[in-house]
Amino acid sequence: MKAISIGLLGLGTVGSGVVKIIENHQDKLIHQIGCPVVVKKILVQDLHKARPAEVDTGLLTSNADDILHNADIDVVIEVMGGVSETKEYLLSALRQGKHVVTANKDLMALHGSELLRVASENGCDLFYEASVAGGIPILRGLVDGLASDRITQMMGIVNGTTNYILTKMSQDGLAYEEVLKEAQELGFAEADPTSDVEGLDAARKMTILATLGFSMHIDLDDVKVSGISTITEEDLKYGKQLGYTMKLIGFAHREGEKVEVSVQPTFLSDNHPLASVQNEYNAVYVYGEAVGETMFYGPGAGSLPTATAVVSDLVGVIKNLRLGVNGRSAVTPQFQKQLKDDSEKYSKYFLRIHVRDEVGVFADITSLFAKYGVSFEKILQLPIKKNETSEIVLVTHRSSLTNYENILSELNDLQAVKEIKSSYRVVRKSL
Amino acid sequence: MKAISIGLLGLGTVGSGVVKIIENHQDKLIHQIGCPVVVKKILVQDLHKARPAEVDTGLLTSNADDILHNADIDVVIEVMGGVSETKEYLLSALRQGKHVVTANKDLMALHGSELLRVASENGCDLFYEASVAGGIPILRGLVDGLASDRITQMMGIVNGTTNYILTKMSQDGLAYEEVLKEAQELGFAEADPTSDVEGLDAARKMTILATLGFSMHIDLDDVKVSGISTITEEDLKYGKQLGYTMKLIGFAHREGEKVEVSVQPTFLSDNHPLASVQNEYNAVYVYGEAVGETMFYGPGAGSLPTATAVVSDLVGVIKNLRLGVNGRSAVTPQFQKQLKDDSEKYSKYFLRIHVRDEVGVFADITSLFAKYGVSFEKILQLPIKKNETSEIVLVTHRSSLTNYENILSELNDLQAVKEIKSSYRVVRKSL
């Protein structure tokens, strides 16, 4: 049986993993798809850089056209990253009738719908399982496994760097900066960690998940984002007392026809399935009307885990090739996007404030919450030794975001309030 | 577009869920598959029994031929349970060219390969996602999501009844009989719980998982089974001290070309992803050479969760129907079955024994372990007040099953040993 020929765009961490898996698991691939899989050409920037032993340097090229306009190549695997140039490459490949597998979350979050449309117009598959949560087959889980259900909520720990940092801060009682530095030394965080720690990476993945899970085209701009860089060890200590674990949660919620998508540090109750996801692991919690609670857990990054998702997608493309049904599995969104207003977004909140240690202060604060109809689930008032300051830690019952932001703003204006130290969303196990 | 017509065999818990989901999620189904789905006939035993409001009693029949030989019916959904008669029904349906979706683990564990062969011969799909772990899309996870990987280990909490019982025993410090009774009253355990508590139900599911995950035809008889009915609260108490959680674990392990499949009560280290799976929830932990650790978590039973898996399979069948590629996705096992001998099965063990409180007893016992080359990870020796008895709790390092069983047998013969109270496999997070 004629071999299927692959063109690989990029030979970094994931690309090397793809080469390894295609080589090491060739017998399983042949058994499943009935023919060999051969990497024919690999696009790299520098032809002379040292490469892993598995790579035949004769395959390397620095000219993308050797792949995109190579009639022998059936499938293009994109693991080079980047957006503008990469998008042009993939559009060109699709227009040449080549199927595409990509691991590129930035590209799919920004231009996924255009690329999927062009793929469909050209009868090509475009698969991107590896773009979200690395080795976890979550996109297939949503599209195929839960095909019959109506998904109403997704909560994702979809960034390994931040989960590693929060785990270490929580376990060892260390400060953010200290753990970040250690994570950088260990290779769990980039030299410039902004995209991870400020939640942008997670937001891109939530864009992809929400679009698929809610069958509604969600843009990156629709995702409200905040990161973990201002979280303190005090916050985590209070969380522990209250039975909460801090995670950076990508949150996608549908109520009726309206959705919200956000990324933010969140206190989860310790018995939430996501609370026990530690270190660099990822997990996506999916709530469906019929199925109830499910969770998909695994490595969110890394050479071989991510490459597993890429090559599993490749198996899907080749199965379709052999059945003659490529380009027919993508489903266009069913619904027009409708985003919730802030007045329709409900949550519980953790709030830590410093107030003057004076008579009547507590009454002022509680009456402000009462004015907006927000009541408390828990209140801790703790005297702080210096400067006649009290620290108050509150957990509210459900409040609309509008009301809660009004409360925060009026708290800031209260003469008795010295500082709002921190505020986080709180999610309990039961919805 | 012409509707797809379904014949439903059985209208119990899962069957009613299937009717509900097809009705409630019709718009999503139509969007995905481009045509309506209609339940045309439902086989029941008693035509006059009271039925849920959703069911049009005009569809009921007590004659299977009204479905199996009904030319209008495209897909047969089997949710009636049972083995012999059900198998004949499904063979008949497949031979009539009808695609089949089944939730029947007993049938698939015993006759899966024959049914799949007949399906393939007749160009029909036979899908059975709901047969393992209810609403969790684990079979697709193995077959599609991890298609490119070589799976070396699966550990499953695949029986909700036993997980509920063990969770309650552990949380509330109650005895097995007490919790079983409560579970029966709450509907989490059957009046005759044998199949669940003795591990047979889990064994059937592990047969299906191991066959798919290892691409090797595993028979139910290959699975070594022990249940939870002899576990005591003392065992769980000691486990807690050692940082272990007790779970009934379906264990499937591949080393080189050889496999072992078993079901047994197992102490997991508390930081194992499966340790936090509580109550009636199920989860399957999958270790792949490339992907590493993944876990799929969700409801293992229940009307709507299981029905979600059934109807998602139905979506798969109908997508294939519309692409004209039914009966071509089943992959026959790649490998000849090779089972490990007991001398090739390695594990750590927890052992609790009562011994005479005499000089030299401990030396006798430890020298017996030394004779078989088995060393200890942890030893607790605790005096028990009455009858001059000491209780010894040991955790071994890795031992072959052969050696360990020899040790148990020789311990029984030692005059100093009064009773072997309990012995369990121990699994730590790192492999």
Side-chain angles (χ1 to χ4, degrees), chain A residues 284-316:
Chain A
V284 181
Y285 169 97
V286 180
Y287 191 92
E289 274 184 354
V291 76
E293 293 191 316
T294 63
M295 187 175 78
F296 301 76
Y297 166 97
S303 172
L304 289 175
T306 310
T308 302
V310 169
V311 183
S312 295
D313 269 355
L314 175 64
V315 170

Side-chain angles (χ1 to χ4, degrees), chain A residues 316-356:
Chain A
V317 170
I318 298 175
K319 280 185 177 172
N320 283 348
L321 253 176
R322 299 184 56 79
L323 296 172
V325 295
N326 298 99
R328 295 163 71 178
S329 57
V331 177
T332 50
Q334 182 179 359
F335 302 105
Q336 274 296 320
K337 176 169 71 186
Q338 292 192 57
L339 300 174
K340 285 194 215 173
D341 298 326
D342 285 355
S343 64
E344 298 167 302
K345 299 176 185 169
Y346 277 83
S347 179
K348 300 178 178 193
Y349 293 96
F350 166 101
L351 176 65
R352 181 161 71 92
I353 47 181
H354 281 185
V355 299
R356 283 174 218 289

Side-chain angles (χ1 to χ4, degrees), chain B residues 212-389:
Chain B
L212 273 180
F214 297 154
S215 200
M216 191 181 286
H217 180 71
I218 304 295
D219 289 305
L220 189 51
D221 290 343
D222 301 328
V223 186
K224 189 165 175 167
V225 184
S226 60
I228 67 162
S229 58
T230 59
I231 297 174
T232 63
E233 31 322 12
E234 287 78 40
D235 293 328
L236 300 193
K237 204 187 62 197
Y238 282 118
K240 247 178 215 172
Q241 281 182 35
L242 293 161
Y244 298 152
T245 304
M246 174 69 80
K247 297 288 177 192
L248 182 68
I249 295 293
F251 190 79
H253 193 207
R254 163 156 70 176
E255 258 168 327
E257 306 299 302
K258 291 195 166 181
V259 304
E260 70 175 292
V261 187
S262 63
V263 171
Q264 66 215 303
T266 302
F267 271 130
L268 301 175
S269 63
D270 286 342
N271 65 346
H272 194 289
L274 288 171
S276 54
V277 176
Q278 297 195 322
N279 297 317
E280 75 281 17
Y281 277 89
N282 282 18
V284 181
Y285 169 97
V286 180
Y287 192 92
E289 274 183 355
V291 76
E293 294 189 316
T294 62
M295 188 175 78
F296 302 76
Y297 165 98
S303 171
L304 289 174
T306 310
T308 302
V310 168
V311 184
S312 294
D313 270 355
L314 175 64
V315 169
V317 170
I318 299 174
K319 280 184 178 173
N320 283 348
L321 254 177
R322 298 183 56 78
L323 296 171
V325 296
N326 297 99
R328 295 163 73 177
S329 57
V331 177
T332 51
Q334 182 178 359
F335 302 106
Q336 273 296 321
K337 175 169 72 187
Q338 292 192 57
L339 299 175
K340 285 194 213 171
D341 298 325
D342 284 356
S343 64
E344 299 168 302
K345 298 175 185 169
Y346 278 82
S347 180
K348 299 179 178 192
Y349 293 96
F350 166 101
L351 176 65
R352 181 161 71 94
I353 47 181
H354 281 184
V355 300
R356 282 172 219 290
D357 198 0
E358 293 165 0
V359 173
V361 166
F362 205 74
D364 289 353
I365 291 171
T366 51
S367 62
L368 174 55
F369 278 82
K371 179 175 136 192
Y372 286 101
V374 177
S375 56
F376 304 113
E377 193 176 285
K378 282 172 189 161
I379 298 176
L380 303 174
Q381 183 168 12
L382 305 149
I384 284 187
K385 300 282 173 316
K386 55 182 177 184
N387 304 332
E388 294 169 335
T389 298

